[in-house]
Amino acid sequence: MQLIDGKSLSNKVQISISKEVEKLKQQRNIVPGLAVIIVGNDPASHAYVSMKEKACKKVGFYSITHKMPEGITQDEIIEIIKMMNNNPHIHGILVQLPLPKHIDTDTILEVIDPKKDVDGFHAYNIGRMVTNLDSFVSCTPLGVMKMFEEYNIDLEGKDVVVVGASNIVGKPMAMLLLNANATVTITHIYTKDLSKYTKEADIVIVGVGRPNLITADMIKDGAIVIDIGINRLEDGSLVGDVDFENVAPKCSYITPVPGGVGPMTIAMLLSNTLKSAKQFGENI
Ligand code: NAD
């Protein structure tokens, strides 16, 4: 069994981004800029945003965070996004999800300029991704694809089961795999017999948010298991969706939690923001 080390791969990506940022600054006087909008007081969301701020600083990006109160109106959020759309120092805009219930997430995401949509959540980018055109791709699935690339894991013709079908994790993940010529099965909460699918899979990718959902009897020998799930247990520890201890010995490759997909998500956010800054630079 080989562990897929997301932490060190993320560091490697960030070092290469730092070098590119330096070049961009020196040669074209461009500093990649990321704007983050966070609403309310959810501690997990604030922790993610602070990790993103730190990562921006580390690679030499300019970043601003709009911390808005829970009671902010939808129109007020839209105003901030429009301001960021028009701000030439900002190349990426990210709205931290989930938003409070009185805000319509789909409406908010559609206001972001697709050229600054570094989270890849705008329908424009999703449509382009599905048709295999250049686009901003959702950071978590993109991070998983980067792991496959780094570990020379060939996806062509592989039977891959994606567990979880959300717009930001499971669906884009499945599309990227399909574009890489894998045979993809998408499963979700209404799937009748989950293990029927996972048992046959060469690769299982799970992003659900349920500790120990994937157990050793659900995985075939030699399979590759990618755990996107992040769950905080009562004792404060962080676990994924996979019963790591018992599943790992059966796998050829597996990602740990923490230190697997999580750090890759941040690296891909930086990578998408750099890509956007370069694209804006070409149009100056
Ligand atoms: P979500 O709640 O929007 O979607 C969950 C999906 O899981 C749904 O499609 C649902 O049908 C499916 N599901 C729920 N219970 C199931 C079950 N028993 N069997 C099969 N499918 C089931 O969640 P999300 O935003 O997609 O996030 C999923 C998980 O991934 C969470 O743990 C989240 O914290 C984590 N996540 C991690 C990263 C990262 O960087 N590693 C990024 C985003 C999300």
Side-chain angles (χ1 to χ4, degrees):
M1 182 275 291
Q2 192 179 349
L3 213 56
I4 299 183
D5 184 348
K7 201 170 167 196
S8 71
L9 178 55
S10 172
N11 282 336
K12 185 173 152 185
V13 172
Q14 291 186 46
I15 289 167
S16 115
I17 291 175
S18 301
K19 287 181 187 156
E20 287 206 57
V21 171
E22 213 33 62
K23 252 200 321 207
L24 210 56
K25 280 181 189 168
Q26 281 173 7
Q27 294 174 354
R28 297 161 77 182
N29 203 21
I30 296 170
V31 179
L34 177 72
V36 178
I37 299 161
I38 176 164
V39 182
N41 300 315
D42 176 49
S45 294
H46 276 272
Y48 292 137
V49 167
S50 113
M51 282 195 281
K52 289 167 188 173
E53 283 171 337
K54 274 191 204 134
C56 281
K57 206 165 168 193
K58 202 169 128 196
V59 296
F61 283 8
Y62 163 67
S63 79
I64 35 178
T65 304
H66 296 268
K67 292 185 178 150
M68 310 316 291
E70 182 87 19
I72 191 171
T73 67
Q74 184 159 304
D75 286 345
E76 285 169 321
I77 301 177
I78 289 174
E79 271 319 300
I80 298 168
I81 295 174
K82 285 183 175 165
M83 246 162 52
M84 295 300 108
N85 282 345
N86 294 322
N87 183 336
H89 302 295
I90 294 299
H91 307 100
I93 303 169
L94 178 158
V95 178
Q96 185 65 40
L97 302 181
L99 289 167
K101 288 202 167 52
H102 66 282
I103 311 283
D104 181 45
T105 303
D106 293 335
T107 305
I108 292 295
L109 295 178
E110 293 284 295
V111 180
I112 298 173
D113 179 348
K115 293 192 182 71
K116 297 189 178 186
D117 171 38
V118 289
D119 248 344
F121 293 166
H122 193 291
Y124 173 87
N125 281 311
I126 293 166
R128 289 185 64 91
M129 179 201 56
V130 171
T131 43
N132 213 358
L133 293 170
D134 182 55
S135 63
F136 287 114
V137 174
S138 179
C139 302
T140 301
L142 187 60
V144 174
M145 295 304 279
K146 183 83 189 164
M147 285 172 149
F148 289 139
E149 189 190 309
E150 178 73 11
Y151 284 79
N152 293 316
I153 295 169
D154 185 19
L155 296 168
E156 201 167 271
K158 295 280 158 57
D159 293 325
V160 187
V161 170
V162 177
V163 188
S166 69
N167 287 339
I168 64 172
V169 177
K171 284 187 202 167
M173 187 73 253
M175 281 305 143
L176 293 177
L177 293 160
L178 187 59
N179 288 343
N181 297 330
T183 303
V184 188
T185 305
I186 311 175
T187 60
H188 44 78
I189 194 155
Y190 298 107
T191 300
K192 275 185 276 176
D193 180 2
L194 184 59
S195 71
K196 182 176 115 187
Y197 302 95
T198 57
K199 264 184 200 161
E200 299 293 323
D202 301 315
I203 304 176
V204 174
I205 304 179
V206 54
V208 165
R210 289 247 331 246
N212 293 326
L213 179 70
I214 304 298
T215 49
D217 57 308
M218 296 169 79
I219 298 295
K220 78 173 180 189
D221 282 328
I224 297 169
V225 173
I226 307 289
D227 192 352
I228 296 176
I230 300 177
N231 307 288
R232 177 82 59 189
L233 300 184
E234 272 178 16
D235 65 3
S237 60
L238 217 57
V239 296
D241 292 342
V242 175
D243 173 10
F244 183 87
E245 199 186 325
N246 295 307
V247 170
K250 290 185 85 175
C251 297
S252 54
Y253 292 91
I254 188 166
T255 60
V257 179
V261 177
M264 290 307 297
T265 299
I266 298 215
M268 294 302 104
L269 172 67
L270 299 172
S271 170
N272 281 348
T273 306
L274 176 66
K275 173 178 166 166
S276 174
K278 284 183 185 166
Q279 285 172 351
F280 272 92
E282 278 158 18
N283 297 325
I284 287 174

